Amino acid sequence: MKIVTQVKLMPDAVQASALRSTLRTVNDLACWVSEVAFAHGVPREYELRKHTYAHLKASGLGAQAAQHVIKKVRDAYTTLHANIRAGNLGKPKSKRRIKAESKPITFRPDAAQPYDDRCVSWQLDQQTVSIWTTAGRLKNVRFACSTDALKVLQQYRKGESDLIERDGAFYLIATCEVPEAEQYEPDGFIGVDLGIVNIATTSTGYQAAGRGLNRYRRRQVALRAKLQKKRTKSAKRRLKERSRREQRHVKNQNHIIAKTIVTEAERTGRGLSLEELKGIRTRVRLRKPQRVALHSWAFAQLGDFIVYKARRAGVPLVFVDPAYSSRECAQCGHVDRLNRTSQATFACRRCGVVAHADRNASRVLARRGADAWNAGRESRVPATP
């Protein structure tokens, strides 16, 4: 299982200048390679190398750096074409799709640049790196990270690392190959119902209320509106800062929620049953005031965090269809639109049970997860002759 670990570089003034100049150079050349690729109909990487490699070498890039610039450009076009095929950029004649297809891809001056082990070497005991730049190789560049991140790097770092610049600071994002723990046989399942009012509700009673996060987002929306009216350079800079701050805040909350859920499942020896929510934005029709709440809801990130933490801990995990889980009674299985009397209250019209709506839905998901797990286990058992 691949995860990424981020460390913050602590260069001196000369080293910082060399790193900044390197990023500017490689990204300017990446824009040039992108123009060449666009002019030649985006050929394959080997063919693109024939048109660009000599110029990149003559521009001062090393062999490996030149290869990485070409590969970065080709990967960007591969991602663009995949998004077009998936319909993520709209229909064939939409303005957004025409704009994406009509000009070459460009790269920001501080965009990430990949480094392999020949371009960057790690001295983890000293917490320093030796890294290639256009001004020569920089040695003994210090970095800072948490104790847990350093331990992961020492044990599992493998593959490329990306150098990025953010708000004047430099970071290395390293790829780590972490082995998955062996799954145990679950003693039942914990259903996890994801929502906006309550971010996550489990069938065991844990509830992560979304009131505080939603209040924080509303405050950020109001602040962004004030800054957008100014239209000054400093206002635009502050808008970017606030956007990243909000992302970090939401990411931290999702990490806490995911860790709590996975730890509870591991402690009780049970598995996790999650909703399959991919494509929910295209399936659900909402009024305009509700769209902001849905599109700012980081349910995909929370789901990804739960998945990778469960895989590291060996917790069995299944995805189930969430259709009508909010209308189905966990006690008798009766499905009725009128069972959901309000956002927070569920009252079954058949058996009369009254429960918190999200708690009832999580119990329905728990049962569906157990059924899916048992069905999969039975299908793996060979038939007796």
Side-chain angles (χ1 to χ4, degrees):
M1 177 179 61
K2 289 184 178 180
I3 65 172
V4 295
T5 301
Q6 178 177 283
V7 302
K8 183 176 182 180
L9 297 182
M10 312 290 286
D12 57 31
V14 176
Q15 293 171 338
S17 177
L19 291 173
R20 186 171 293 107
S21 175
T22 299
L23 281 180
R24 300 297 185 273
T25 301
V26 295
N27 284 305
D28 285 345
L29 290 171
C31 291
W32 174 80
V33 173
S34 178
E35 293 175 358
V36 174
F38 188 80
H40 289 81
V42 192
R44 293 188 177 183
E45 185 178 336
Y46 179 77
E47 184 69 21
L48 183 59
R49 192 176 296 128
K50 291 181 181 179
H51 297 288
T52 58
Y53 182 76
H55 177 77
L56 294 178
K57 286 282 292 180
S59 299
L61 297 191
Q64 288 302 111
Q67 301 280 18
H68 283 304
V69 168
I70 296 169
K71 186 176 185 299
K72 178 170 76 170
V73 173
R74 191 62 187 84
D75 289 347
Y77 277 102
T78 300
T79 302
L80 174 63
H81 293 157
N83 284 325
I84 290 174
R85 287 194 301 271
N88 296 335
L89 297 178
K91 296 179 180 180
K93 293 184 179 180
S94 66
K95 291 183 179 179
R96 186 181 179 193
R97 180 162 172 175
I98 292 173
K99 183 179 179 181
E101 294 176 322
S102 62
K103 61 180 182 179
I105 293 175
T106 57
F107 296 84
R108 301 187 315 274
D110 56 353
Q113 172 65 14
Y115 280 74
D116 61 17
D117 286 341
R118 281 177 283 187
C119 295
V120 59
S121 58
W122 298 74
Q123 298 81 45
L124 295 173
D125 293 336
Q126 292 81 28
Q127 287 195 217
T128 61
V129 295
S130 171
I131 187 168
W132 172 88
T133 67
T134 53
R137 197 171 187 91
L138 301 181
K139 297 183 178 180
N140 300 320
V141 180
R142 296 186 299 112
F143 69 85
C145 64
S146 67
T147 304
D148 291 339
L150 183 61
K151 193 177 298 183
V152 170
L153 286 171
Q154 290 173 334
Q155 296 179 2
Y156 307 118
R157 193 196 66 78
K158 184 179 180 181
E160 294 182 351
S161 304
D162 287 347
L163 173 67
I164 64 172
E165 181 184 4
R166 188 188 303 136
D167 297 333
F170 296 93
Y171 299 87
L172 273 175
I173 302 176
T175 304
C176 299
E177 192 75 37
V178 179
E180 296 183 22
E182 185 178 354
Q183 285 188 352
Y184 53 79
E185 187 64 28
D187 182 21
F189 275 79
I190 297 175
V192 182
D193 179 68
L194 303 179
I196 297 176
V197 176
N198 295 307
I199 301 173
T201 304
T202 68
S203 54
T204 55
Y206 170 72
Q207 188 176 81
R211 187 182 301 108
L213 184 57
N214 292 331
R215 186 166 55 244
Y216 174 82
R217 281 175 172 157
R218 286 194 297 270
R219 186 166 65 250
Q220 295 301 315
V221 168
L223 291 172
R224 282 200 301 270
K226 290 181 180 179
L227 289 172
Q228 286 167 350
K229 289 181 180 179
K230 294 181 180 297
R231 297 184 179 182
T232 60
K233 288 185 177 180
S234 61
K236 292 178 180 179
R237 184 175 65 251
R238 289 182 179 275
L239 278 170
K240 291 181 180 180
E241 293 174 356
R242 289 202 167 274
S243 175
R244 288 191 287 265
R245 187 180 304 169
E246 183 177 353
Q247 290 175 4
R248 291 193 299 270
H249 179 78
V250 173
K251 186 176 182 180
N252 180 62
Q253 293 297 314
N254 283 337
H255 268 300
I256 294 172
I257 295 169
K259 185 175 182 179
T260 303
I261 292 172
V262 172
T263 301
E264 182 180 12
E266 185 180 15
R267 179 179 57 81
T268 57
R270 285 185 271 190
L272 290 173
S273 176
L274 297 183
E275 304 171 85
E276 180 56 77
L277 293 176
K278 289 185 178 179
I280 189 172
R281 289 186 172 93
T282 58
R283 296 198 309 265
V284 177
R285 297 176 63 88
L286 295 172
R287 295 190 300 273
K288 191 171 182 179
Q290 296 173 307
R291 293 173 195 166
V292 175
L294 178 67
H295 289 281
S296 62
W297 179 39
F299 62 88
Q301 185 185 75
L302 175 58
D304 290 342
F305 287 172
I306 294 175
V307 169
Y308 98 79
K309 291 179 189 294
R311 289 169 65 184
R312 287 193 67 179
V315 175
L317 186 142
V318 294
F319 284 92
V320 297
D321 185 3
Y324 305 110
S325 58
S326 62
R327 303 178 184 180
E328 181 179 342
C329 178
Q331 190 72 25
C332 66
H334 177 62
V335 179
D336 192 329
R337 181 176 60 86
L338 300 177
N339 284 348
R340 188 75 178 262
T341 59
S342 68
Q343 188 281 324
T345 307
F346 181 93
C348 181
R349 295 176 66 83
R350 174 187 288 176
C351 65
V353 67
V354 178
H356 189 280
D358 292 340
R359 178 72 182 279
N360 175 81
S362 66
R363 292 172 60 194
V364 171
L365 295 173
R367 188 184 68 245
R368 293 182 184 181
D371 293 342
W373 178 267
N374 292 330
R377 184 173 54 182
E378 290 172 1
S379 67
R380 292 191 294 268
V381 177
T384 56

mmCIF file of all heavy atoms in Angstrom, residues 182-221:
data_model
loop_
_atom_site.group_PDB
_atom_site.id
_atom_site.type_symbol
_atom_site.label_atom_id
_atom_site.label_comp_id
_atom_site.label_asym_id
_atom_site.label_seq_id
_atom_site.Cartn_x
_atom_site.Cartn_y
_atom_site.Cartn_z
ATOM 1 N N GLU A 182 -2.507 -8.234 7.951
ATOM 2 C CA GLU A 182 -3.393 -9.343 7.591
ATOM 3 C C GLU A 182 -4.765 -9.141 8.231
ATOM 4 O O GLU A 182 -4.870 -8.833 9.418
ATOM 5 C CB GLU A 182 -2.791 -10.669 8.066
ATOM 6 C CG GLU A 182 -3.584 -11.884 7.627
ATOM 7 C CD GLU A 182 -2.929 -13.173 8.074
ATOM 8 O OE1 GLU A 182 -1.805 -13.104 8.613
ATOM 9 O OE2 GLU A 182 -3.530 -14.239 7.891
ATOM 10 N N GLN A 183 -5.805 -9.297 7.438
ATOM 11 C CA GLN A 183 -7.156 -9.103 7.940
ATOM 12 C C GLN A 183 -7.562 -10.234 8.877
ATOM 13 O O GLN A 183 -7.244 -11.393 8.633
ATOM 14 C CB GLN A 183 -8.155 -9.033 6.781
ATOM 15 C CG GLN A 183 -8.133 -7.737 5.997
ATOM 16 C CD GLN A 183 -9.267 -7.668 4.996
ATOM 17 O OE1 GLN A 183 -9.985 -8.629 4.767
ATOM 18 N NE2 GLN A 183 -9.443 -6.500 4.394
ATOM 19 N N TYR A 184 -8.252 -9.866 9.945
ATOM 20 C CA TYR A 184 -8.790 -10.867 10.848
ATOM 21 C C TYR A 184 -10.226 -11.206 10.463
ATOM 22 O O TYR A 184 -10.852 -10.505 9.658
ATOM 23 C CB TYR A 184 -8.729 -10.369 12.296
ATOM 24 C CG TYR A 184 -9.367 -9.022 12.532
ATOM 25 C CD1 TYR A 184 -10.752 -8.867 12.651
ATOM 26 C CD2 TYR A 184 -8.581 -7.873 12.642
ATOM 27 C CE1 TYR A 184 -11.338 -7.641 12.875
ATOM 28 C CE2 TYR A 184 -9.163 -6.624 12.856
ATOM 29 C CZ TYR A 184 -10.530 -6.519 12.975
ATOM 30 O OH TYR A 184 -11.111 -5.287 13.192
ATOM 31 N N GLU A 185 -10.761 -12.269 11.000
ATOM 32 C CA GLU A 185 -12.152 -12.638 10.764
ATOM 33 C C GLU A 185 -13.041 -11.783 11.653
ATOM 34 O O GLU A 185 -12.954 -11.850 12.877
ATOM 35 C CB GLU A 185 -12.373 -14.123 11.069
ATOM 36 C CG GLU A 185 -13.749 -14.648 10.695
ATOM 37 C CD GLU A 185 -14.019 -14.602 9.197
ATOM 38 O OE1 GLU A 185 -13.041 -14.675 8.420
ATOM 39 O OE2 GLU A 185 -15.197 -14.495 8.818
ATOM 40 N N PRO A 186 -13.890 -10.947 11.065
ATOM 41 C CA PRO A 186 -14.647 -9.989 11.886
ATOM 42 C C PRO A 186 -15.764 -10.634 12.682
ATOM 43 O O PRO A 186 -16.423 -11.574 12.222
ATOM 44 C CB PRO A 186 -15.210 -9.025 10.836
ATOM 45 C CG PRO A 186 -15.350 -9.857 9.604
ATOM 46 C CD PRO A 186 -14.199 -10.822 9.637
ATOM 47 N N ASP A 187 -15.956 -10.128 13.891
ATOM 48 C CA ASP A 187 -17.079 -10.540 14.735
ATOM 49 C C ASP A 187 -18.185 -9.494 14.587
ATOM 50 O O ASP A 187 -18.463 -8.713 15.492
ATOM 51 C CB ASP A 187 -16.621 -10.653 16.187
ATOM 52 C CG ASP A 187 -17.747 -11.124 17.099
ATOM 53 O OD1 ASP A 187 -18.719 -11.721 16.577
ATOM 54 O OD2 ASP A 187 -17.658 -10.882 18.319
ATOM 55 N N GLY A 188 -18.823 -9.469 13.390
ATOM 56 C CA GLY A 188 -19.836 -8.470 13.113
ATOM 57 C C GLY A 188 -19.234 -7.259 12.415
ATOM 58 O O GLY A 188 -18.014 -7.175 12.195
ATOM 59 N N PHE A 189 -20.099 -6.303 12.078
ATOM 60 C CA PHE A 189 -19.669 -5.113 11.348
ATOM 61 C C PHE A 189 -20.222 -3.849 11.998
ATOM 62 O O PHE A 189 -21.297 -3.868 12.606
ATOM 63 C CB PHE A 189 -20.142 -5.176 9.882
ATOM 64 C CG PHE A 189 -19.210 -5.951 8.996
ATOM 65 C CD1 PHE A 189 -19.225 -7.331 8.994
ATOM 66 C CD2 PHE A 189 -18.306 -5.291 8.186
ATOM 67 C CE1 PHE A 189 -18.365 -8.054 8.185
ATOM 68 C CE2 PHE A 189 -17.431 -5.999 7.378
ATOM 69 C CZ PHE A 189 -17.466 -7.381 7.368
ATOM 70 N N ILE A 190 -19.435 -2.778 11.854
ATOM 71 C CA ILE A 190 -19.854 -1.452 12.290
ATOM 72 C C ILE A 190 -20.253 -0.654 11.051
ATOM 73 O O ILE A 190 -19.445 -0.463 10.136
ATOM 74 C CB ILE A 190 -18.733 -0.720 13.041
ATOM 75 C CG1 ILE A 190 -18.371 -1.468 14.328
ATOM 76 C CG2 ILE A 190 -19.132 0.719 13.359
ATOM 77 C CD1 ILE A 190 -17.188 -0.870 15.079
ATOM 78 N N GLY A 191 -21.508 -0.222 10.991
ATOM 79 C CA GLY A 191 -21.956 0.603 9.883
ATOM 80 C C GLY A 191 -21.579 2.056 10.102
ATOM 81 O O GLY A 191 -21.670 2.571 11.228
ATOM 82 N N VAL A 192 -21.138 2.722 9.046
ATOM 83 C CA VAL A 192 -20.716 4.124 9.121
ATOM 84 C C VAL A 192 -21.579 4.925 8.158
ATOM 85 O O VAL A 192 -21.481 4.761 6.939
ATOM 86 C CB VAL A 192 -19.228 4.296 8.774
ATOM 87 C CG1 VAL A 192 -18.822 5.761 8.921
ATOM 88 C CG2 VAL A 192 -18.360 3.406 9.654
ATOM 89 N N ASP A 193 -22.436 5.775 8.715
ATOM 90 C CA ASP A 193 -23.303 6.634 7.908
ATOM 91 C C ASP A 193 -22.669 8.018 7.828
ATOM 92 O O ASP A 193 -22.431 8.664 8.854
ATOM 93 C CB ASP A 193 -24.696 6.721 8.535
ATOM 94 C CG ASP A 193 -25.623 7.633 7.741
ATOM 95 O OD1 ASP A 193 -25.972 7.258 6.612
ATOM 96 O OD2 ASP A 193 -25.981 8.713 8.249
ATOM 97 N N LEU A 194 -22.373 8.470 6.601
ATOM 98 C CA LEU A 194 -21.766 9.773 6.390
ATOM 99 C C LEU A 194 -22.830 10.798 6.048
ATOM 100 O O LEU A 194 -23.805 10.489 5.358
ATOM 101 C CB LEU A 194 -20.736 9.699 5.253
ATOM 102 C CG LEU A 194 -19.613 8.672 5.423
ATOM 103 C CD1 LEU A 194 -18.687 8.702 4.225
ATOM 104 C CD2 LEU A 194 -18.838 8.917 6.704
ATOM 105 N N GLY A 195 -22.666 12.014 6.529
ATOM 106 C CA GLY A 195 -23.660 13.045 6.284
ATOM 107 C C GLY A 195 -23.071 14.428 6.424
ATOM 108 O O GLY A 195 -21.856 14.595 6.616
ATOM 109 N N ILE A 196 -23.927 15.433 6.317
ATOM 110 C CA ILE A 196 -23.499 16.830 6.418
ATOM 111 C C ILE A 196 -23.762 17.383 7.813
ATOM 112 O O ILE A 196 -22.894 18.008 8.424
ATOM 113 C CB ILE A 196 -24.225 17.678 5.353
ATOM 114 C CG1 ILE A 196 -23.820 17.201 3.949
ATOM 115 C CG2 ILE A 196 -23.899 19.159 5.517
ATOM 116 C CD1 ILE A 196 -24.538 17.903 2.823
ATOM 117 N N VAL A 197 -24.963 17.144 8.340
ATOM 118 C CA VAL A 197 -25.260 17.596 9.703
ATOM 119 C C VAL A 197 -24.402 16.846 10.701
ATOM 120 O O VAL A 197 -23.784 17.427 11.603
ATOM 121 C CB VAL A 197 -26.758 17.405 10.010
ATOM 122 C CG1 VAL A 197 -27.048 17.771 11.457
ATOM 123 C CG2 VAL A 197 -27.602 18.259 9.072
ATOM 124 N N ASN A 198 -24.355 15.511 10.569
ATOM 125 C CA ASN A 198 -23.441 14.676 11.343
ATOM 126 C C ASN A 198 -22.460 14.055 10.353
ATOM 127 O O ASN A 198 -22.850 13.281 9.483
ATOM 128 C CB ASN A 198 -24.202 13.586 12.092
ATOM 129 C CG ASN A 198 -25.129 14.164 13.148
ATOM 130 O OD1 ASN A 198 -24.712 14.949 13.996
ATOM 131 N ND2 ASN A 198 -26.402 13.810 13.079
ATOM 132 N N ILE A 199 -21.187 14.413 10.474
ATOM 133 C CA ILE A 199 -20.194 13.984 9.488
ATOM 134 C C ILE A 199 -20.130 12.468 9.412
ATOM 135 O O ILE A 199 -20.089 11.891 8.323
ATOM 136 C CB ILE A 199 -18.815 14.566 9.840
ATOM 137 C CG1 ILE A 199 -18.885 16.093 9.858
ATOM 138 C CG2 ILE A 199 -17.769 14.110 8.841
ATOM 139 C CD1 ILE A 199 -17.631 16.754 10.344
ATOM 140 N N ALA A 200 -20.125 11.799 10.548
ATOM 141 C CA ALA A 200 -20.080 10.338 10.576
ATOM 142 C C ALA A 200 -20.817 9.844 11.812
ATOM 143 O O ALA A 200 -20.626 10.371 12.909
ATOM 144 C CB ALA A 200 -18.639 9.836 10.573
ATOM 145 N N THR A 201 -21.644 8.830 11.616
ATOM 146 C CA THR A 201 -22.374 8.198 12.710
ATOM 147 C C THR A 201 -22.197 6.696 12.575
ATOM 148 O O THR A 201 -22.421 6.137 11.496
ATOM 149 C CB THR A 201 -23.873 8.543 12.662
ATOM 150 O OG1 THR A 201 -24.032 9.968 12.682
ATOM 151 C CG2 THR A 201 -24.596 7.938 13.856
ATOM 152 N N THR A 202 -21.774 6.032 13.643
ATOM 153 C CA THR A 202 -21.573 4.586 13.588
ATOM 154 C C THR A 202 -22.695 3.872 14.321
ATOM 155 O O THR A 202 -23.389 4.450 15.162
ATOM 156 C CB THR A 202 -20.224 4.193 14.213
ATOM 157 O OG1 THR A 202 -20.266 4.438 15.637
ATOM 158 C CG2 THR A 202 -19.091 4.985 13.605
ATOM 159 N N SER A 203 -22.847 2.600 13.999
ATOM 160 C CA SER A 203 -23.904 1.798 14.611
ATOM 161 C C SER A 203 -23.616 1.487 16.070
ATOM 162 O O SER A 203 -24.483 0.974 16.786
ATOM 163 C CB SER A 203 -24.075 0.486 13.837
ATOM 164 O OG SER A 203 -22.843 -0.207 13.728
ATOM 165 N N THR A 204 -22.395 1.796 16.541
ATOM 166 C CA THR A 204 -22.054 1.577 17.944
ATOM 167 C C THR A 204 -22.278 2.811 18.805
ATOM 168 O O THR A 204 -22.026 2.771 20.012
ATOM 169 C CB THR A 204 -20.585 1.129 18.071
ATOM 170 O OG1 THR A 204 -19.745 2.093 17.432
ATOM 171 C CG2 THR A 204 -20.374 -0.227 17.408
ATOM 172 N N GLY A 205 -22.717 3.913 18.190
ATOM 173 C CA GLY A 205 -23.043 5.098 18.980
ATOM 174 C C GLY A 205 -22.134 6.282 18.801
ATOM 175 O O GLY A 205 -22.455 7.386 19.249
ATOM 176 N N TYR A 206 -20.977 6.110 18.136
ATOM 177 C CA TYR A 206 -20.075 7.243 17.932
ATOM 178 C C TYR A 206 -20.689 8.200 16.917
ATOM 179 O O TYR A 206 -21.232 7.782 15.891
ATOM 180 C CB TYR A 206 -18.710 6.769 17.434
ATOM 181 C CG TYR A 206 -17.808 7.891 16.967
ATOM 182 C CD1 TYR A 206 -17.234 8.768 17.881
ATOM 183 C CD2 TYR A 206 -17.556 8.084 15.611
ATOM 184 C CE1 TYR A 206 -16.414 9.802 17.457
ATOM 185 C CE2 TYR A 206 -16.734 9.108 15.177
ATOM 186 C CZ TYR A 206 -16.165 9.956 16.103
ATOM 187 O OH TYR A 206 -15.351 10.981 15.678
ATOM 188 N N GLN A 207 -20.593 9.492 17.193
ATOM 189 C CA GLN A 207 -21.165 10.494 16.301
ATOM 190 C C GLN A 207 -20.231 11.697 16.235
ATOM 191 O O GLN A 207 -19.907 12.303 17.257
ATOM 192 C CB GLN A 207 -22.546 10.928 16.786
ATOM 193 C CG GLN A 207 -23.293 11.837 15.822
ATOM 194 C CD GLN A 207 -24.692 12.155 16.332
ATOM 195 O OE1 GLN A 207 -24.867 13.030 17.177
ATOM 196 N NE2 GLN A 207 -25.682 11.436 15.838
ATOM 197 N N ALA A 208 -19.785 11.996 15.011
ATOM 198 C CA ALA A 208 -18.955 13.179 14.788
ATOM 199 C C ALA A 208 -19.853 14.280 14.254
ATOM 200 O O ALA A 208 -20.216 14.284 13.073
ATOM 201 C CB ALA A 208 -17.832 12.862 13.809
ATOM 202 N N ALA A 209 -20.259 15.195 15.118
ATOM 203 C CA ALA A 209 -21.195 16.256 14.721
ATOM 204 C C ALA A 209 -20.516 17.216 13.759
ATOM 205 O O ALA A 209 -19.351 17.571 13.919
ATOM 206 C CB ALA A 209 -21.695 16.997 15.955
ATOM 207 N N GLY A 210 -21.256 17.631 12.751
ATOM 208 C CA GLY A 210 -20.710 18.550 11.763
ATOM 209 C C GLY A 210 -21.020 20.002 12.047
ATOM 210 O O GLY A 210 -20.720 20.861 11.221
ATOM 211 N N ARG A 211 -21.623 20.292 13.210
ATOM 212 C CA ARG A 211 -22.034 21.657 13.511
ATOM 213 C C ARG A 211 -20.828 22.609 13.523
ATOM 214 O O ARG A 211 -20.857 23.679 12.914
ATOM 215 C CB ARG A 211 -22.759 21.701 14.852
ATOM 216 C CG ARG A 211 -23.384 23.055 15.167
ATOM 217 C CD ARG A 211 -24.054 23.046 16.535
ATOM 218 N NE ARG A 211 -25.101 22.034 16.615
ATOM 219 C CZ ARG A 211 -24.990 20.898 17.324
ATOM 220 N NH1 ARG A 211 -23.880 20.658 18.025
ATOM 221 N NH2 ARG A 211 -25.965 20.028 17.355
ATOM 222 N N GLY A 212 -19.776 22.195 14.210
ATOM 223 C CA GLY A 212 -18.606 23.062 14.302
ATOM 224 C C GLY A 212 -17.932 23.263 12.958
ATOM 225 O O GLY A 212 -17.540 24.388 12.609
ATOM 226 N N LEU A 213 -17.802 22.187 12.174
ATOM 227 C CA LEU A 213 -17.157 22.301 10.871
ATOM 228 C C LEU A 213 -17.996 23.139 9.916
ATOM 229 O O LEU A 213 -17.468 23.965 9.166
ATOM 230 C CB LEU A 213 -16.923 20.911 10.280
ATOM 231 C CG LEU A 213 -16.173 20.845 8.951
ATOM 232 C CD1 LEU A 213 -14.812 21.511 9.068
ATOM 233 C CD2 LEU A 213 -16.026 19.392 8.495
ATOM 234 N N ASN A 214 -19.312 22.946 9.939
ATOM 235 C CA ASN A 214 -20.176 23.745 9.072
ATOM 236 C C ASN A 214 -20.162 25.223 9.461
ATOM 237 O O ASN A 214 -20.199 26.109 8.601
ATOM 238 C CB ASN A 214 -21.607 23.209 9.129
ATOM 239 C CG ASN A 214 -21.731 21.844 8.484
ATOM 240 O OD1 ASN A 214 -20.985 21.518 7.567
ATOM 241 N ND2 ASN A 214 -22.661 21.034 8.969
ATOM 242 N N ARG A 215 -20.099 25.496 10.787
ATOM 243 C CA ARG A 215 -19.999 26.886 11.240
ATOM 244 C C ARG A 215 -18.678 27.502 10.780
ATOM 245 O O ARG A 215 -18.633 28.667 10.360
ATOM 246 C CB ARG A 215 -20.130 26.929 12.764
ATOM 247 C CG ARG A 215 -20.187 28.344 13.318
ATOM 248 C CD ARG A 215 -20.658 28.345 14.761
ATOM 249 N NE ARG A 215 -19.860 27.490 15.608
ATOM 250 C CZ ARG A 215 -20.331 26.401 16.240
ATOM 251 N NH1 ARG A 215 -21.589 26.051 16.110
ATOM 252 N NH2 ARG A 215 -19.539 25.676 16.997
ATOM 253 N N TYR A 216 -17.607 26.730 10.857
ATOM 254 C CA TYR A 216 -16.296 27.207 10.399
ATOM 255 C C TYR A 216 -16.337 27.519 8.901
ATOM 256 O O TYR A 216 -15.809 28.551 8.454
ATOM 257 C CB TYR A 216 -15.244 26.137 10.689
ATOM 258 C CG TYR A 216 -13.874 26.436 10.140
ATOM 259 C CD1 TYR A 216 -12.997 27.275 10.811
ATOM 260 C CD2 TYR A 216 -13.454 25.869 8.942
ATOM 261 C CE1 TYR A 216 -11.740 27.543 10.306
ATOM 262 C CE2 TYR A 216 -12.207 26.134 8.422
ATOM 263 C CZ TYR A 216 -11.351 26.967 9.114
ATOM 264 O OH TYR A 216 -10.102 27.233 8.600
ATOM 265 N N ARG A 217 -16.975 26.649 8.122
ATOM 266 C CA ARG A 217 -17.062 26.883 6.686
ATOM 267 C C ARG A 217 -17.888 28.121 6.357
ATOM 268 O O ARG A 217 -17.534 28.887 5.452
ATOM 269 C CB ARG A 217 -17.668 25.650 6.003
ATOM 270 C CG ARG A 217 -16.672 24.509 5.808
ATOM 271 C CD ARG A 217 -17.356 23.306 5.238
ATOM 272 N NE ARG A 217 -16.398 22.280 4.884
ATOM 273 C CZ ARG A 217 -16.694 20.990 4.772
ATOM 274 N NH1 ARG A 217 -17.948 20.583 4.993
ATOM 275 N NH2 ARG A 217 -15.782 20.114 4.437
ATOM 276 N N ARG A 218 -18.987 28.312 7.060
ATOM 277 C CA ARG A 218 -19.809 29.506 6.808
ATOM 278 C C ARG A 218 -19.025 30.776 7.112
ATOM 279 O O ARG A 218 -19.145 31.781 6.398
ATOM 280 C CB ARG A 218 -21.092 29.447 7.646
ATOM 281 C CG ARG A 218 -22.125 28.459 7.132
ATOM 282 C CD ARG A 218 -23.468 28.689 7.782
ATOM 283 N NE ARG A 218 -23.435 28.472 9.223
ATOM 284 C CZ ARG A 218 -23.683 27.300 9.801
ATOM 285 N NH1 ARG A 218 -23.971 26.238 9.052
ATOM 286 N NH2 ARG A 218 -23.648 27.183 11.118
ATOM 287 N N ARG A 219 -18.231 30.744 8.182
ATOM 288 C CA ARG A 219 -17.405 31.906 8.516
ATOM 289 C C ARG A 219 -16.366 32.159 7.416
ATOM 290 O O ARG A 219 -16.119 33.310 7.037
ATOM 291 C CB ARG A 219 -16.714 31.687 9.863
ATOM 292 C CG ARG A 219 -15.961 32.914 10.353
ATOM 293 C CD ARG A 219 -15.584 32.777 11.796
ATOM 294 N NE ARG A 219 -14.641 31.691 12.024
ATOM 295 C CZ ARG A 219 -14.915 30.559 12.646
ATOM 296 N NH1 ARG A 219 -16.131 30.352 13.124
ATOM 297 N NH2 ARG A 219 -13.998 29.623 12.819
ATOM 298 N N GLN A 220 -15.786 31.080 6.884
ATOM 299 C CA GLN A 220 -14.807 31.238 5.815
ATOM 300 C C GLN A 220 -15.453 31.769 4.536
ATOM 301 O O GLN A 220 -14.865 32.578 3.809
ATOM 302 C CB GLN A 220 -14.121 29.894 5.531
ATOM 303 C CG GLN A 220 -13.282 29.357 6.676
ATOM 304 C CD GLN A 220 -12.180 30.308 7.080
ATOM 305 O OE1 GLN A 220 -11.471 30.866 6.245
ATOM 306 N NE2 GLN A 220 -12.042 30.527 8.377
ATOM 307 N N VAL A 221 -16.673 31.326 4.240
ATOM 308 C CA VAL A 221 -17.390 31.827 3.061
ATOM 309 C C VAL A 221 -17.628 33.329 3.179
ATOM 310 O O VAL A 221 -17.445 34.087 2.214
ATOM 311 C CB VAL A 221 -18.732 31.082 2.890
ATOM 312 C CG1 VAL A 221 -19.611 31.779 1.862
ATOM 313 C CG2 VAL A 221 -18.480 29.640 2.466
#
